[in-house]
Amino acid sequence: TDPASHGTWIACSELGLALALLNVNPADADARVPPRSRGTIIPALIGSRSLEEVAERAGAIAHSDYAPYRLIAIHAREDDVLEVVPRSDVIRRLPLANPLMFTSSGLGDHHVEGPRRRLFEETVLQTEPVDWKEGQDRFHAHRWRDRLAVSVHMSRAEAWTVSRTAIEIDEA
């Protein structure tokens, strides 16, 4: 539960839809405090019946009312992942043939994207498909001893990784 709005940043529906929200922390971040909490976005979209409907409804959100974010949506009956990054005008469907990585950091996404992407390619994508889940577990638990702040399982004085969420969707 998001304490500011009593909303949430992750949810699944009985229709097979899973939604997750990530911060977007650009290098030129705006210091203004937005009027609305991003925790209200997922509750507004979770009733959608398809990725197309999520995209339509997400496109109608007044993104300037919120701090920057990335919305990720998956549906059990669809073979794609929907990525929506409103301030970048990104609304795209990515094939779910291979694992995908999305990341963010309060340090600035540009600081962590490269190292984390290389680690993801080494620990997940360069393994056999039967080992992808094990590789993802290794990826999420990884810590560079000399670069804790940019690690996937990160820590720095004002923030640290406290949890991981796994979503499994089937068509049952």
Side-chain angles (χ1 to χ4, degrees):
T1 301
D2 172 43
S5 68
H6 302 289
T8 188
W9 287 58
I10 190 165
C12 296
S13 77
E14 56 199 26
L15 300 173
L17 178 65
L19 302 174
L21 207 65
L22 285 82
N23 292 327
V24 169
N25 299 289
D28 60 348
D30 184 356
R32 128 189 118 79
V33 176
R36 300 194 65 196
S37 167
R38 291 171 285 194
T40 63
I41 295 168
I42 297 287
L45 300 174
I46 195 62
S48 301
R49 298 183 177 276
S50 66
L51 294 181
E52 184 175 327
E53 185 177 345
V54 171
E56 288 173 18
R57 292 169 74 177
I61 293 173
H63 65 81
S64 60
D65 287 351
Y66 301 92
Y69 64 90
R70 169 180 282 117
L71 172 71
I72 306 299
I74 302 169
H75 196 285
R77 293 189 177 92
E78 300 187 46
D79 295 328
D80 295 331
V81 172
L82 176 69
E83 177 187 24
V84 179
V85 189
R87 294 209 176 170
S88 299
D89 292 326
V90 170
I91 298 180
R92 63 183 175 168
R93 291 176 75 128
L94 304 164
L96 195 54
N98 297 313
L100 300 169
M101 185 199 86
F102 304 96
T103 193
S104 71
S105 172
L107 291 175
D109 298 346
H110 61 288
H111 288 297
V112 301
E113 175 68 32
R116 290 180 184 175
R117 176 120 355 245
R118 286 187 293 280
L119 177 66
F120 184 77
E121 289 170 0
E122 292 168 10
T123 59
V124 180
L125 296 182
Q126 291 180 8
T127 64
E128 296 297 318
V130 295
D131 297 325
W132 282 344
K133 184 180 181 322
E134 184 179 303
Q136 287 175 334
D137 289 344
R138 279 193 317 274
F139 172 77
H140 285 282
H142 189 272
R143 294 173 64 102
W144 284 291
R145 289 183 187 168
D146 60 338
R147 297 186 293 167
L148 291 174
V150 299
S151 294
V152 177
H153 189 89
M154 60 74 90
S155 67
R156 57 183 197 270
E158 68 282 4
W160 55 91
T161 300
V162 294
S163 67
R164 290 186 276 161
T165 301
I167 300 171
E168 293 184 24
I169 298 177
D170 63 35
E171 292 189 56

